[in-house]
Amino acid sequence: RIDHALGHRGEHSIANAIAMLGERPDPIQHLLLRLDAVRTLPPDAGAAVCQALYDEASAREHPAIAMRARVLRLDHLLAAQSLTDDEIDAAAQELRGTQPSDTYVPSAWWSIVLAYQARGRHAEAEQALRAAWSWIVEGALPQVPDGYRDSFLHRNPTNLALLAAAAGRLSLAVPPAPVTPR
C-alpha cells in the first residue's frame, strides 16, 4: 500500500507478503493480499479478479471483504469504461449496509461518486457525496480529538476532496470546532 501511495505498482511488495504467509496462509489475510494485488492489473483483468474475490469473500461469509472487492471492481470498471448502472447501484446499496474491511469508507463512497458521475447520474452522485460527507462530518469528526481535527479535515486527501466537492455541489460545510474552555 505504501508503494501504491507513492505511485508505484507494488508487485514486488505484494509477492513478498504472499510468500511470507507460507504454504498455509490465513484465508482472510490471503484474500486481502490478493485484493491489494489487483491494483497491479490492467482494468479488464482487475475487474474480473475483483468479481472472483467478491464471490469468494461472499462464500466465506465475509461481507466486509466482499464490499472492498466490489468497490475495487468499480474502480477497474471505471478505468475500463465499462461501468453499468446495475453495478454502481449494487455497490451503493451494499455500502449503505456494510463497512468495507481494510478500506476507508469515504474512499469507497468517492469511488461510487465518480462512477455515478461517469454514467451521468448526477442526482445519485450527489446522494453518494452526501453519504460520504455525513460519514466524515457527522460520524467520524465528533470522535476526532481536537489536536487532530485540522489534519483529519485538511490533510487527508480523500476527506479534502470529498469535503470540497460537497461544499461546491451541495453547499455542505463542516461545522466550526466547538470552543473548549481552558
Side-chain angles (χ1 to χ4, degrees):
R1 291 188 191 147
I2 292 170
D3 286 341
H4 188 259
L6 294 173
H8 307 290
R9 293 177 57 98
E11 293 101 332
H12 180 71
S13 297
I14 291 169
N16 283 343
I18 290 172
M20 288 173 56
L21 285 176
E23 292 179 22
R24 295 185 302 159
D26 172 82
I28 300 304
Q29 290 300 320
H30 198 257
L31 269 171
L32 290 170
L33 274 172
R34 287 165 47 212
L35 278 170
D36 283 337
V38 166
R39 296 179 191 276
T40 67
L41 300 175
D44 288 331
V49 170
C50 284
Q51 183 62 53
L53 292 172
Y54 175 85
D55 294 342
E56 184 178 338
S58 295
R60 290 184 181 276
E61 297 181 358
H62 205 300
I65 292 176
M67 183 68 238
R68 181 168 184 227
R70 186 180 288 273
V71 170
L72 287 174
R73 178 173 164 76
L74 274 186
D75 293 341
H76 279 82
L77 290 171
L78 179 61
Q81 297 181 347
S82 40
L83 284 167
T84 65
D85 288 341
D86 289 343
E87 190 89 36
I88 305 166
D89 291 341
Q93 182 62 34
E94 195 168 340
L95 184 55
R96 285 182 182 90
T98 306
Q99 181 165 326
S101 180
D102 213 19
T103 297
Y104 187 50
V105 174
S107 292
W109 278 119
W110 189 239
S111 291
I112 291 170
V113 168
L114 296 176
Y116 275 133
Q117 287 175 343
R119 296 288 295 169
R121 296 179 61 191
H122 302 293
E124 291 87 349
E126 287 181 359
Q127 289 175 346
L129 186 56
R130 186 177 302 278
W133 181 89
S134 178
W135 192 97
I136 293 168
V137 173
E138 296 170 350
L141 187 59
Q143 309 302 316
V144 175
D146 291 342
Y148 296 99
R149 181 183 171 96
D150 183 63
S151 176
F152 178 75
L153 293 173
H154 305 293
R155 291 189 187 89
N156 177 309
T158 301
N159 291 356
L160 189 60
L162 283 165
L163 294 173
R169 294 180 206 161
L170 305 174
S171 299
L172 293 173
V174 175
V179 177
T180 53
R182 291 185 185 239

